[in-house]
Amino acid sequence: VDPARLVEVQARINRQAKPKGSLGRMEELARRYVAISGREDIRKKVIFTFAGDHGVVAEGVSAFPPEVTPQMVHNFLEGGAAINALARHAGAEVIVVDMGVNADFPPLGGLLQKKIAKGTANLAVGPAMSRQQAIQGLETGIELAFSCVDAGIDLVGTGDMGIGNTTPSSAILAAFSGLPVEEVTHRGTGIDDPALQRKIDVIRRGLEINRPDPSDPVDVLAKVGGFEIAGIAGLVLGCAAVGIPVVVDGFISTAGALIAVELHPKVRDYIFMAHRSVEIGHGHMLERIGQKPLLDLEMRLGEGTGAALVMSLIEAALRTYREILTFDEAGVARGNDQ
Amino acid sequence: VDPARLVEVQARINRQAKPKGSLGRMEELARRYVAISGREDIRKKVIFTFAGDHGVVAEGVSAFPPEVTPQMVHNFLEGGAAINALARHAGAEVIVVDMGVNADFPPLGGLLQKKIAKGTANLAVGPAMSRQQAIQGLETGIELAFSCVDAGIDLVGTGDMGIGNTTPSSAILAAFSGLPVEEVTHRGTGIDDPALQRKIDVIRRGLEINRPDPSDPVDVLAKVGGFEIAGIAGLVLGCAAVGIPVVVDGFISTAGALIAVELHPKVRDYIFMAHRSVEIGHGHMLERIGQKPLLDLEMRLGEGTGAALVMSLIEAALRTYREILTFDEAGVARGNDQ
């Protein structure tokens, strides 16, 4: 993202009839969106909700049974989930991407079939996937980003569905950061204390057995990641490559974004971090990525729900950019604000 | 607000196919809105932007000249200000209420003429207004709330315009809380260090000379308040009386809401606090009111801009309430989440 362009956009914001900087982070949203995309409005918005299953659920790390992953995929396609409600609010389309759900789907409207396998292997006993599968997942996400260019999609959001997927997300963070597993592992969909202890032990074992190499993000993704996380990582990489701003949802999406940023640090300039999740590891991820979340609404649902809310916020910010008159246009006297 | 109704609404949210509580404060928004209003959707939304001038600007407490107040009123009516852009985003109407601008306006669409006087007196040398004027301001706001019932307005937002009005707002907070003036006084539209010191001194003098009685909120409003703040206080009181949820904007609006809550503590149950302002005194006000702000976007513009953003968030929350299927409807297996 061209620094000169950011300065130029902010200069226009500074001529608008209001105290300088008084719209705070709304100005940041407008400035970054316009500088990244070269646009002042959004034609189409899409949220890609990547779904995948996780072999590690065999260890009892989730409060929900694994059949919920395909059940929720059907719910998304029928429009009855939280992400559907919030995407409708934001005027965004939801596209569900089957990256590795442990079920067979017939051809269904709104579902992209990109299944790598029917769920990852159990990361507590060996690698979650092969390096080749990790690369396949990344490529799928990258290709989706490229497909957005011709489709006139000017803002992309990430989302996830996969019972058990806070476990690989915490493992990815632990692998990159070296932080103690108990400091990055939390309750996911709502596990009790014994399950939390199990989850911590499982991640510790997974890291010991797999020894993911933090200097090789594809290795981290393959050994302790997930198929939907691979898709998200690829989507974020691809959006940066084609210059489409990408709103990254909560904990699982941020794990994917972290893979992308560790692969290529400049990717961070294209990311809008939607919100601060309840998951305790999220703050550490956000710090490594170096983008501050917009919202803190104590959400922990995933699906892309936080991304949908921030898409609406970006629309609002672009409206202020386009529609607030300058001091001269409005006939308002300037101040000596700093 | 009926506590049983809050429990009932939350119980319905808990049947929706998602981990319990996972939409965080979005659930709180839906729960409170539905329990307060008895509705699950919003017909019309209005933001009342109250405008007034302040005699205390003679002391050099603002970065902007006072003629900006009427200039911005014209800008609001022409649709060129930040609040217009954000209200359009939220699908809300903006109604500007002249509570005491130091200018004569011809009849203008979108402007309610409720002028009490052409600006308050200088609170640094005597009371800002008479007790009778304070009551008139409160009554104006209360009447506006009552007029919303017949107009089918189901969500109200507050906003303000008045060069110099962070000075009375800080003074009101200091009067109620007894906090040191320097801990509740900040840069407003962007004053430099000497002006900030002047502003602190002015508020100290105002409190010494006027001795507002914190057990008599109308006395506080009259002695160190403002006409637009009186209108906001009345609007918040009136909304609570008629059961319309009211979104309170930033620092100045919260000063008005504080007057209302000090007059009648139950009013707090009808208030949605939009956002945390950059003004250092705002946190203390929020604590006294006992409602947590929804957003923290480093905004400090007023006008109702934060309220407009949160109106959109409430719409999103109501969509989740109406549109997310239950576990049974969606055919999704339940978890053992807590």
Side-chain angles (χ1 to χ4, degrees):
Chain A
V1 182
D2 180 8
R5 183 67 185 137
L6 286 162
V7 170
E8 202 177 285
V9 174
Q10 185 63 48
R12 175 169 148 188
I13 294 172
N14 292 348
R15 288 192 294 275
Q16 292 180 318
K18 59 184 184 49
K20 204 183 275 184
S22 58
L23 276 177
R25 299 200 62 198
M26 295 296 281
E27 298 187 15
E28 172 196 325
L29 288 181
R31 181 175 68 239
R32 292 188 57 217
Y33 182 89
V34 173
I36 292 169
S37 69
R39 299 185 59 88
E40 300 181 4
D41 66 345
I42 298 170
R43 286 168 301 175
K44 286 191 216 161
K45 298 183 282 286
V46 169
I47 295 166
F48 291 99
T49 301
F50 294 89
D53 273 307
H54 298 269
V56 73
V57 296
E59 307 288 338
V61 292
S62 178
F64 281 80
E67 59 264 30
V68 167
T69 306
Q71 287 169 347
M72 285 300 297
V73 166
H74 283 290
N75 197 13
F76 295 149
L77 298 174
E78 278 151 28
I83 184 56
N84 304 107
L86 293 176
R88 283 188 287 263
H89 174 76
E93 188 186 354
V94 177
I95 296 177
V96 184
V97 190
D98 174 11
M99 296 297 293
V101 179
N102 186 17
D104 292 307
F105 297 107
L108 289 164
L111 177 67
L112 293 182
Q113 312 234 19
K114 303 285 181 183
K115 200 192 296 286
I116 298 167
K118 284 189 171 179
T120 54
N122 182 352
L123 66 83
V125 299
M129 66 187 90
S130 68
R131 187 174 183 94
Q132 186 47 44
Q133 286 178 318
I135 290 169
Q136 185 184 339
L138 290 168
E139 284 175 346
T140 298
I142 292 169
E143 281 161 17
L144 289 175
F146 277 76
S147 75
C148 290
V149 178
D150 286 340
I153 294 162
D154 298 321
L155 185 61
V156 162
T158 72
D160 73 285
M161 180 67 222
I163 295 303
N165 66 9
T166 56
T167 296
S169 299
S170 290
I172 287 167
L173 172 59
F176 283 124
S177 67
L179 285 165
V181 173
E182 67 273 17
E183 285 183 26
V184 301
T185 307
H186 206 184
R187 296 184 190 276
T189 48
I191 52 176
D192 58 14
D193 287 341
L196 177 58
Q197 192 51 57
R198 242 181 353 254
K199 186 172 169 183
I200 291 169
D201 292 342
V202 159
I203 294 173
R204 278 199 195 118
R205 258 193 291 151
L207 292 169
E208 275 164 27
I209 286 173
N210 288 300
R211 305 214 159 274
D213 176 1
S215 70
D216 178 359
V218 178
D219 189 60
V220 173
L221 173 60
K223 296 217 174 123
V224 298
F227 293 135
E228 78 278 50
I229 296 172
I232 292 164
L235 183 71
V236 172
L237 282 169
C239 283
V242 297
I244 298 177
V246 57
V247 185
V248 172
D249 189 37
F251 190 58
I252 288 90
S253 282
T254 310
L258 185 56
I259 300 273
V261 169
E262 299 280 345
L263 278 166
H264 202 311
K266 282 200 175 163
V267 165
R268 65 166 52 91
D269 295 342
Y270 298 81
I271 291 173
F272 291 79
M273 286 303 327
H275 73 116
R276 185 176 295 277
S277 160
V278 172
E279 281 285 312
I280 57 170
H282 200 212
H284 297 295
M285 288 180 180
L286 295 168
E287 237 169 80
R288 283 189 80 83
I289 290 179
Q291 290 289 358
K292 209 175 143 192
L294 275 305
L295 301 175
D296 185 358
L297 295 171
E298 300 167 24
M299 289 164 60
R300 51 182 176 83
L301 178 51
E303 301 182 1
T305 48
L309 291 175
V310 167
M311 283 178 152
S312 178
L313 213 55
I314 292 173
E315 289 275 18
L318 290 175
R319 257 193 193 271
T320 65
Y321 184 71
R322 293 191 305 265
E323 298 178 6
I324 301 177
L325 298 179
T326 63
F327 284 102
D328 291 340
E329 286 165 348
V332 172
R334 281 180 176 70
N336 52 10
D337 53 327
Q338 317 180 287
Chain B
V1 181
D2 180 8
R5 183 68 186 135
L6 286 163
V7 171
E8 204 177 284
V9 174
Q10 185 64 47
R12 173 167 150 189
I13 294 172
N14 292 348
R15 289 193 293 276
Q16 293 180 318
K18 59 183 184 52
K20 205 183 275 182
S22 57
L23 276 176
R25 300 201 63 200
M26 295 296 282
E27 298 187 16
E28 171 197 327
L29 288 180
R31 180 175 69 241
R32 294 187 57 217
Y33 181 88
V34 173
I36 293 169
S37 69
R39 300 186 57 88
E40 300 181 4
D41 66 345
I42 299 170
R43 286 168 301 176
K44 284 191 215 163
K45 298 182 284 284
V46 168
I47 294 165
F48 291 100
T49 300
F50 294 89
D53 274 306
H54 298 269
V56 72
V57 295
E59 306 288 338
V61 292
S62 178
F64 281 79
E67 61 264 31
V68 166
T69 306
Q71 288 169 346
M72 283 302 295
V73 166
H74 283 290
N75 197 13
F76 296 149
L77 299 173
E78 280 152 28
I83 185 55
N84 305 104
L86 292 177
R88 282 189 288 263
H89 174 75
E93 189 186 354
V94 176
I95 295 177
V96 184
V97 190
D98 174 10
M99 296 296 294
V101 179
N102 187 16
D104 294 308
F105 297 107
L108 290 164
L111 178 67
L112 293 182
Q113 313 234 16
K114 303 285 181 184
K115 199 192 299 286
I116 298 167
K118 285 191 170 174
T120 54
N122 182 353
L123 66 84
V125 298
M129 66 186 88
S130 69
R131 187 173 183 94
Q132 188 46 48
Q133 288 178 316
I135 291 169
Q136 186 184 337
L138 290 168
E139 285 176 346
T140 298
I142 292 168
E143 283 162 16
L144 288 175
F146 276 75
S147 75
C148 289
V149 177
D150 287 339
I153 293 162
D154 299 320
L155 185 61
V156 162
T158 72
D160 72 285
M161 179 69 224
I163 295 302
N165 65 7
T166 56
T167 295
S169 299
S170 290
I172 287 168
L173 172 59
F176 283 123
S177 67
L179 285 165
V181 173
E182 66 273 19
E183 286 182 25
V184 301
T185 306
H186 206 184
R187 295 184 190 276
T189 48
I191 53 176
D192 58 15
D193 288 341
L196 177 59
Q197 193 50 57
R198 243 183 348 258
K199 185 172 169 183
I200 291 168
D201 292 343
V202 159
I203 294 173
R204 279 200 193 118
R205 258 191 291 149
L207 293 169
E208 277 164 24
I209 287 173
N210 289 300
R211 303 213 162 277
D213 176 2
S215 70
D216 179 359
V218 178
D219 189 61
V220 173
L221 173 61
K223 293 208 174 132
V224 299
F227 293 134
E228 78 278 49
I229 295 170
I232 292 164
L235 182 71
V236 172
L237 282 168
C239 283
V242 298
I244 299 178
V246 57
V247 186
V248 172
D249 190 37
F251 190 59
I252 287 90
S253 282
T254 310
L258 184 57
I259 301 273
V261 169
E262 299 280 343
L263 278 165
H264 203 310
K266 281 200 174 164
V267 165
R268 62 166 55 90
D269 295 342
Y270 298 82
I271 291 174
F272 291 80
M273 288 301 328
H275 73 116
R276 185 176 293 279
S277 159
V278 172
E279 281 284 312
I280 57 171
H282 199 215
H284 297 293
M285 289 181 179
L286 294 169
E287 238 169 81
R288 284 188 80 84
I289 290 179
Q291 291 287 2
K292 208 175 143 191
L294 274 306
L295 301 175
D296 184 358
L297 295 171
E298 299 166 26
M299 287 164 60
R300 51 182 176 82
L301 177 51
E303 301 181 3
T305 47
L309 291 176
V310 167
M311 284 179 151
S312 178
L313 213 55
I314 292 173
E315 289 274 21
L318 290 175
R319 256 192 194 270
T320 65
Y321 184 71
R322 294 191 306 267
E323 299 179 6
I324 300 177
L325 299 180
T326 63
F327 283 102
D328 291 340
E329 288 166 346
V332 172
R334 280 179 174 73
N336 53 9
D337 53 328
Q338 317 181 292

